[in-house]
Amino acid sequence: MAAPKNYLGSGELILLCALLGALGEIGRGQIHYSVPEESDKGSVVGNISKDLGLESQELTKHGVRIVSRGRTQLFALNARSGSLVTAGRIDREELCAQRAPCLVNINILVEDRVQLYGVEIEVTDINDNNPKFQVESLEVKINEIAAPGTCYPLPEAVDPDVGSNALQSYQLSPSPHFSLDVQTGDDGTVRPELVLQRALDREEEAAHHLVLMASDGGEPRRSSTVHVRVTVLDTNDNAPVFAQPVYRVKVPENVPPGTLLLTVSASDPDEGTNGDVAYKFWKISEKQSPLFHLNEHTGEISAAKSLDYEECAFYDMEIQAEDGGALKDRAKVLISVEDVNDNRPEVTVTSLFSPVLENTPPGTVIAFLNVHDRDSGKNGQVVCQTRDDLPFQLEKSINNYYRLVTWKHLDREETSLYNITVMASDLGTPSLSTEIHIALHVADTNDNPPSFPQTAYSTYIPENNPRGASIFSVTAHDPDSGNNAQVTYSLSQDSIMGAPLSSYVSINSDTGVLYALRSFDYEQIQDLQLLVTASDSGDPPLSSNVSLSLFILDQNDNAPEILYPMLPTDGSTGVELAPRSAEPGYLVTKVVAVDRDSGQNAWLSYRLLKASEPGLFAVGLHTGEVRTARALLDRDALKQSLVVAVQDHGQPPLSATVTLTVAVADSFPDVLTDLGSIKTPADSDDSDLTLYLVVAVAVVSCIFLAFVIVLLALRLWRWHKSSLLQASGSRLAGLPASSFVGIEGVQAFLQTYSHEVSLTSDSRKSHVIFPQPNYADTLISQESCEKNDSILTSIKDEGASVQQAPPNTDWRFSQAQRPGTSGSQNGDETGTWPNNQFDTEMLQAMILASASEAADGSSTLGGGAGTMGLSARYGPQFTLQHVPDYRQNVYVPGSNATLTNAAAKRDARAPAGGNGNKKKSGKKEKK
């Protein structure tokens, strides 16, 4: 038996070293492990947690997982031990066939680090396969004339193991006629040949039985045998010869089954059966055999099944041609499968980080994608892209991995869900492409404050509203979501009239509805300025403000208030004087009233409700001026009683009444003289009054006159006794106002016309003349008169005749100076009312101008401070300290003018109407 030849040449050794160096360069920079094939499931391959710098218990925490693609996962991670283990049985021969070394590359993703690591695992071979012959028995036909030394090929055994575990040697059973020769080819294959050692004699022995054994070099050594039967033939001196030793052909992988690939041909010059050549596969693997069909008569090789370049790109086989005389020849057939672009790229989302916050900075990794194309060359080169209008782009990572990253800021309020389309296209012709869709949700951050539709709001509420009434509702919108869009409302802290704002109004923090906590009074508060804050529930919260103006609408809840004439506190009635010589239209007095309301609710109208002498007096509708309607006659009664009603224009209207007593006489002494003969004008209802009533009136009048004379005498005596009179010699003690209080309006007469009071019973001989600038034209309250005893009169030498001072015309008012709600106009009875609240509020400043004139003493209406321009004719009761400040709601009907100082002075220079410049009666002129 010949010894096997199993060695490597020097060239092959150099090639092996270069290959190992190249593999070392490839593995540099990545994790390398090795594991023997056929290891049990769960066998430890390597400590991956240590090599990644992680603790074994942190694999799950850091999201470490295998992301390599493939039909079957060969390896797994043991989260408890942190090791890389086998996921099942690994057959190296099935995985890598004859390729050595057998390397498996996987990728491990650490999601916490957003990083991929490459791991290379070498599956080492073990001697788990026996060398195997394709046939169990073989018949070798040898012509008996064969010369010793002739070699006959024997079947080769196939061992899928590699290295030392692969087929190493052949052994032949001992035989005197045959020996075994092993040839090593250029590709390293070992081929056994049967060598004829001694000539055969068919007649001596027609058949020889041999056993061929093939052995590998593993531990333990494995082997297999084939029975070889040598049949000695008759002479056949020509063997078949192939036209070429090697046949090569390239076919596309998409050839249909039955397609002729190539034809092999061998020629034999012999005749008969010795020249008939039959073809058969001599050497072909078990996986390749079903793919091809060989016609044994024609030598045509065709595709039996569909070829797949991705399964196998190259097929190597041998064809044997044998004639009828058992002479043979062999030829090699090499079939190369060319790739066609028949596989679309495959895109796998390895990891997706969704949802992503909208404030994520550009460059943030959103997903890892794995791209694979089973084709090769340009057909397997894949290009990925996304749509240009999306804020995402693809970046190349290691191997066939792409990273999907953001390239600009996201805005959830603009787009909350992105449907990202990733298209992968290969470079084949024609190009094939694949699209996948990734749904990416954008998580909200609190980046938008609540916003109001308007920059400011205004609303109205009538006064006297019920507590808890709904006032207004504000709504703010927040484009965020969840808690970031949950809006709560609040009012800013403020105070109104010393009270916190929260005691007036409140707001529902959830709905934004404002409620009144108390009933508003327009006369106290006309408007409220609120600041509403809307805050979301984000972290940190965002807020915005809006101003709200709450205007209180006036209601007619205040009746008109009579300012003049004021009702005396002692129960008497004020008296006004009307001279008998007064012409029609003579201004007797004026009723002054105000209304605390505003607008139409404060528009006042006056009317004469009742009069003792109908038709004698008339009241201005809008001015309240009481004027004579006709000339006074001698038959007119001395005392006239008028009831004036003041009514506003609210709904429903409110009113007030005042009773005026008008004395018809030319002077105060005439009043005193005629008091005894005053007869009350008889109405139609009093025509049957008896004489007893007339007598009673006369008696009362006499008693009153006597009381006045006695009172004047006592006061004069006190003046002479006072120390003030002794010191000055020209001054008299002041007469307190209380001394002039009498029945039926005497007090008003004495206080109003004090410059005509007679000091003696003979008023024609002696009169006390009070300086008009100090008293006659100044309104003094009754209280101040009672407290001040200083006299304001000047007396000439006793017994001398004193000429009565001419009447001062300043006590009269022009039409523009009359007090009341229409003192700045001429009393147009047909004046129009304002038609809106705006006009009303414009004219409410009139009373302010009048009050200012009185305060600085510049007014010519009476010349006294604090009187609002009213002369002493209207009595000392009407002073500024008794007038409430209703400047905000006084309106002059029919006119848009306001009270001004210039107008007052202009009117003051005009001559007063009536009889102001006329001389007194003949009785007054006599001394």
Side-chain angles (χ1 to χ4, degrees), residues 174-211:
S175 172
H177 295 279
F178 301 95
S179 65
L180 182 65
D181 185 19
V182 178
Q183 298 291 334
T184 302
D186 295 338
D187 56 355
T189 59
V190 180
R191 297 177 179 176
E193 292 183 348
L194 184 64
V195 180
L196 181 61
Q197 294 290 334
R198 200 169 63 179
L200 299 175
D201 186 1
R202 179 180 176 277
E203 289 72 25
E204 181 179 352
E205 187 175 1
H208 299 268
H209 295 277
L210 303 175
V211 175

Side-chain angles (χ1 to χ4, degrees), residues 205-484:
E205 187 175 1
H208 299 268
H209 295 277
L210 303 175
V211 175
L212 178 63
M213 182 176 65
S215 302
D216 58 24
E219 288 294 333
R221 184 182 298 269
R222 292 177 177 270
S223 63
S224 62
T225 60
V226 62
H227 296 277
V228 180
R229 181 177 185 273
V230 180
T231 302
V232 181
L233 299 177
D234 199 7
T235 302
N236 182 21
D237 53 354
N238 292 291
V241 177
F242 280 99
Q244 57 190 62
V246 178
Y247 290 86
R248 290 183 174 88
V249 66
K250 294 182 179 180
V251 297
E253 62 174 330
N254 59 351
V255 294
T259 302
L260 177 64
L261 303 181
L262 77 161
T263 301
V264 297
S265 176
S267 62
D268 191 336
D270 293 330
E271 294 180 354
T273 58
N274 293 329
D276 294 336
V277 179
Y279 303 93
K280 65 178 180 179
F281 287 113
W282 177 252
K283 182 181 179 181
I284 189 171
S285 66
E286 295 180 357
K287 290 185 177 180
Q288 297 175 359
S289 179
L291 299 178
F292 303 98
H293 173 71
L294 174 62
N295 190 318
E296 62 178 5
H297 302 292
T298 62
E300 295 178 349
I301 301 176
S302 59
K305 293 183 178 180
S306 297
L307 303 181
D308 190 352
Y309 173 85
E310 288 70 39
E311 292 290 338
C312 185
F314 181 77
Y315 297 94
D316 183 1
M317 62 192 73
E318 289 185 8
I319 306 297
Q320 176 179 280
E322 183 179 1
D323 59 17
L327 295 181
K328 306 172 184 176
D329 192 13
R330 290 193 300 269
K332 181 171 288 191
V333 177
L334 303 178
I335 300 176
S336 299
V337 180
E338 293 182 339
D339 182 51
V340 295
N341 195 21
D342 59 344
N343 292 282
R344 294 182 180 275
E346 299 176 6
V347 182
T348 305
V349 180
T350 303
S351 184
L352 176 63
F353 304 96
S354 178
V356 60
L357 292 176
E358 61 178 326
N359 61 354
T360 298
T364 301
V365 178
I366 302 302
F368 279 104
L369 305 178
N370 177 260
V371 180
H372 175 70
D373 195 320
R374 297 178 62 193
D375 296 323
S376 62
K378 289 187 176 181
N379 296 333
Q381 296 178 10
V382 181
V383 176
C384 289
Q385 61 184 359
T386 59
R387 290 168 52 190
D388 296 335
D389 57 345
L390 293 179
F392 307 100
Q393 63 183 4
L394 286 171
E395 294 180 356
K396 181 72 174 178
S397 184
I398 63 173
N399 298 333
N400 293 326
Y401 283 88
Y402 284 85
R403 295 183 302 176
L404 183 65
V405 299
T406 61
W407 65 272
K408 69 178 182 180
H409 289 282
L410 307 179
D411 189 354
R412 190 206 66 84
E413 288 69 41
E414 180 179 347
T415 306
S416 61
L417 174 63
Y418 287 95
N419 188 12
I420 306 171
T421 301
V422 178
M423 184 174 65
S425 303
D426 57 28
L427 302 181
T429 303
S431 177
L432 299 179
S433 62
T434 301
E435 286 187 357
I436 65 168
H437 301 278
I438 301 174
L440 178 66
H441 294 270
V442 181
D444 182 55
T445 59
N446 193 24
D447 57 346
N448 292 281
S451 60
F452 291 93
Q454 299 177 214
T455 57
Y457 294 91
S458 61
T459 186
Y460 302 86
I461 182 174
E463 66 173 333
N464 305 321
N465 57 284
R467 294 183 179 181
S470 174
I471 301 175
F472 194 66
S473 176
V474 295
T475 302
H477 175 67
D478 195 320
D480 295 324
S481 64
N483 290 335
N484 297 331

